[in-house]
Every structure is written in structure tokens, then in C-alpha cells.
Amino acid sequence: MRVVLAGGGTAGHIEPALALADALRRADGGIQVTCLGTQRGLETRLVPMRGYELALIPAVPLPRSVTPKLLTVPGRLAGAVHSAGTVLERVHADVLVGFGGYVATPAYLAAKRHKVPIVVHEANPFAGIANRLGARLTTHVFTGHPDTKLRNAQYLGLPIRRQIAELDRFALGDKARAHFGLRTDLPVLLVFGGSQGAKSLNHALAGAIDAIRGAGVQVLHVTGPRNATEVQVPPGAVPYAAVPYVDRMDLAYAAADFALCRAGAMTCAELTAVGLPAAYVPLPIGNGEQRLNALPIVQRGGGLLVEDDELTADWIKGSLLPVLTNIDQVAAMSEAAAALGRKDADRWLAKAVIDVAAEAAHRPAAGADAGDGEARQAPAPDGLVAPAGDQRPPADGQYPQAPGRHRHTR
């Protein structure tokens, strides 16, 4: 079986694709995976690092307004579709799985032209242009958020790495803290703003760091590689570890008791999967989807929510610090976050992809159903790569309960 994955550009598109690739490889070591990407995306580093073939096609960003650049889109898109089709033909693709982003639109069109079955996964509450197009070309559409409105959508959850999904924070905590030079007897606040960091988080933290450490709370601060020189580490008995980037986020999560972070779909999925409560600071640009990512977690007691322009040193000292120093409250929020986590979306999606390829090998793909609607419950996969444990895809708009495991705090 040969699978082509289209999900380049940002880590939010690439990481779910690679989590699926890993699940497919675990299900059957003979499955061949090829990732489509562009020269401008993070996939040029992440995909080869994970051991998968990367095939590059031209990037065709779509202007968000009517400008002269719009006139160049058809020609450039045609070239990208041709390039994607060449890859599909070269690898004899049995199925294409798209996750959105620049690379997905030409991939969907090429797959339709070459009669390759299409599977779409949308991570966010608001689907992008590429996945709205893809959802009109197939009935196999899955979402990472239960409230996503997308044609033919079935809520499945967001695929995350097994390294994260299987993490036991409590068991690995002491080792993880030692890795970052932190003490084992004091709580830890993890501050991170994505792969490039977040200046607003860094600035607010700088004004509150003395109060945080004065309250006996350690800080593990992922500054972002561009901001590392701006962060000054003051001396003190309570450790403050500042690092520009973390490749082992599992260790960062295991070391922490609480997080201060953005609210991207992958961040929310990983934090709930490991049961780490957080103060979410949605990115103040775009269509507000980061706020929607965090809102269900906050409403169910697994985190706090603060707008970017309201995140100040005073907010950290007055609103966050009292929570960090309340052991019982942190423990309750950890339980609430863990109850929302989905650990097996990669396995569910792998099973669906394998089924789609098998179905297409025996009969022509069915046409797409008409109509848009809310995400409906995915059929329970069985047999090959059926997820372990007792989790099932939730009913419409509902989140699953964690399967009988309690989270701990120090």
C-alpha cells in the first residue's frame, strides 16, 4: 500500500501528518509513505528527520483579497497540480491524505484528476480553503474539533505523536526536571509560544518572574530561537531555565505542573492528552480559531483563558500565580484537562485510511454526498490498528472521558 500525505507549511499541518505516517508504519511496515511539501515550509526539516520521503512541489498561496497577484494563481496552480500528479503517478499512490495548507489544494486536484481516493483531515474549528475544497471531492472527511462545520465531516480528534500520547508525566517527572536543571521539590510553570516563541508571553513573564520565583515556583521558559538573546536569567535559589527551543516536548510536559502558552490545535490536543492544565493566550490574528480551540478546555475546568492584549505581568501575578500555588486546584485542573484528551486519533485515522484504500481497490469510489453540516460521529474501526483501550469517538459535540487513569501533581 502506498500513501501520499499533503500537509506542509506549519507544524500544525505537518505534525498530524507525521503522526498518521507513524501509525500507518506501525500498522504495516510495508506501507510506503511519501509526504508532499514545498521549499518554504517546515517540512523540509521535519519530514526527513522523521525518516519519510519528501517530494517538493511549487507553493501556491492564495491571496486573501483581490490584487494583481490573483491573476497569476491559475497558471501557478496548474503547474503545482501537474507536479503533484507526477508524484502520485511515480509512487503509484493508493490514497492521498490532506491536512490543509498550501500543498493540499494542488494535491487534492491532482488526486481527483488521477482518480486517487482522497481523505481529508481538518484540525481547526474553521476549515481553510484547501480543506473546504477537498471536502467537496470526497466523502472521507475527518476533523480534530467536534464543532467544525465541513462537508461530510466526522469528528475523530487530532493525531499526535505516540511519544506524547503515551506519556506518563508523573512517572517521568523527576527525570524530566533533572534534564532541564530543575528541582524536584518545587512546582514548575512551562512557558512556550510555539516553534518561534511568542514575544507577548516573554514580555509578560519578564515582569512577573521575580514574583513567580518568590512564591517558590520554578519556570521552564522556551523563548523561541529568535528571542533567546532578549531573555535575561536572573540569579536566585528557585531555578529559572530558559532554552531557545525544545525537541523533546514530552520531557517539557513531564517536567511541568502548569503551562502558559498559545492555543494552537496541536498544543491543545497535546496538553489535554497528557493532562497538563494551562493558561491559554490565543494568537491575536486570524479568524479567532485559537480561542475556540481553548474554550472547551477552559469551560470544563482544564485551563484559563486570557486575551493577548490582557496578558501582563500584573495578570500573571494576580490571576495565574494564585492558581500555581494552589496544589488542590492544579490537581483538579489536571484531571479536567486529561478528561478531554484524545490519545488514539492517529490510530483511528490510520484505520480509516487503510479502509479507504482497500475499498477503492475493490470498487470505484462513491461520489460525494451533498450538504454541509456539523461533524458527525465516526464509525468505530475494528480489526487492523483498532485503538487500544476503551476510548471511542465521541457523539456529536461531546468529548470522551479519559479511560480510568488519574493524573497527579507534585
Side-chain angles (χ1 to χ4, degrees):
M1 178 177 163
R2 295 161 293 272
V3 181
V4 174
L5 306 181
T10 66
H13 291 132
I14 302 164
E15 287 294 347
L18 291 175
L20 171 62
D22 291 343
L24 289 168
R25 180 175 283 179
R26 286 192 305 272
D28 181 350
I31 293 178
Q32 300 177 28
V33 177
T34 302
C35 298
L36 284 180
T38 69
Q39 284 283 8
R40 63 170 53 183
L42 290 175
E43 60 269 25
T44 56
R45 182 177 70 90
L46 297 179
V47 171
M49 186 172 66
R50 296 278 282 273
Y52 295 103
E53 178 190 357
L54 176 64
L56 299 178
I57 66 173
V60 187
L62 300 177
R64 296 184 179 273
S65 59
V66 179
T67 69
K69 290 183 178 180
L70 190 62
L71 300 176
T72 69
V73 169
R76 290 186 292 122
L77 181 59
V81 171
H82 176 75
S83 296
T86 299
V87 175
L88 296 176
E89 287 290 304
R90 174 177 62 82
V91 303
H92 304 290
D94 294 303
V95 61
L96 170 85
V97 188
F99 291 84
Y102 293 156
V103 74
T105 298
Y108 292 143
L109 295 174
K112 188 68 173 178
R113 177 180 297 174
H114 291 268
K115 296 182 171 54
V116 175
I118 297 170
V119 175
V120 174
H121 187 281
E122 172 58 52
N124 297 302
F126 297 132
I129 294 174
N131 279 350
R132 293 204 301 270
L133 168 64
R136 292 185 173 274
L137 302 179
T138 181
T139 58
H140 308 295
V141 181
F142 303 97
T143 69
H145 194 284
D147 298 327
T148 303
K149 303 231 176 5
L150 190 62
R151 189 185 182 98
N152 301 308
Q154 301 180 31
Y155 170 47
L156 204 64
L158 188 64
I160 61 176
R161 292 167 288 172
R162 284 288 100 197
Q163 187 182 49
I164 301 297
E166 296 174 355
L167 175 66
D168 186 333
R169 290 199 299 119
F170 185 68
L172 192 61
D174 288 353
K175 177 182 176 181
R177 292 181 176 207
H179 176 81
F180 292 108
L182 300 170
R183 289 168 52 175
T184 61
D185 60 334
L186 295 176
V188 175
L189 173 66
L190 168 64
V191 182
F192 66 104
S195 60
Q196 299 303 314
K199 287 194 172 183
S200 60
L201 273 66
N202 293 347
H203 291 164
L205 177 66
I209 190 62
D210 289 341
I212 294 172
R213 297 169 79 193
V217 177
Q218 305 174 95
V219 176
L220 173 55
H221 184 190
V222 186
T223 64
R226 297 177 182 174
N227 308 317
T229 59
E230 300 177 6
V231 176
Q232 303 297 320
V233 181
V238 177
Y240 170 26
V243 295
Y245 186 79
V246 174
D247 281 320
R248 290 286 305 274
M249 283 303 294
D250 59 317
L251 292 179
Y253 293 155
D257 294 287
F258 211 95
L260 174 65
C261 58
R262 290 299 191 197
M266 182 59 70
T267 295
C268 292
E270 290 188 347
L271 292 185
T272 53
V274 304
L276 182 62
Y280 292 100
V281 189
L283 195 67
I285 60 175
N287 54 14
E289 65 187 18
Q290 285 208 359
R291 187 176 190 277
L292 294 179
N293 289 335
L295 196 57
I297 305 170
V298 174
Q299 290 174 335
R300 289 162 177 81
L304 306 174
L305 184 66
V306 56
E307 301 299 337
D308 190 80
D309 59 359
E310 296 175 0
L311 177 66
T312 63
D314 287 340
W315 184 89
I316 292 176
K317 289 184 282 189
S319 298
L320 179 56
L321 191 54
V323 176
L324 297 178
T325 54
N326 187 327
I327 296 176
D328 291 338
Q329 186 173 359
V330 171
M333 294 178 73
S334 177
E335 292 279 355
L340 304 180
R342 295 194 53 73
K343 299 173 181 288
D344 285 331
D346 58 333
R347 293 169 175 168
W348 290 96
L349 186 56
K351 180 63 169 64
V353 170
I354 291 170
D355 285 349
V356 168
E359 178 184 350
H362 290 90
R363 62 183 177 84
D369 293 336
D372 295 329
E374 295 184 4
R376 62 184 185 273
Q377 183 179 358
D382 51 17
L384 188 62
V385 292
D390 60 355
Q391 283 192 333
R392 294 291 183 269
D396 294 352
Q398 299 297 314
Y399 286 83
Q401 295 298 311
R405 180 179 176 188
H406 298 286
R407 312 303 301 181
H408 302 269
T409 189
R410 304 170 184 87

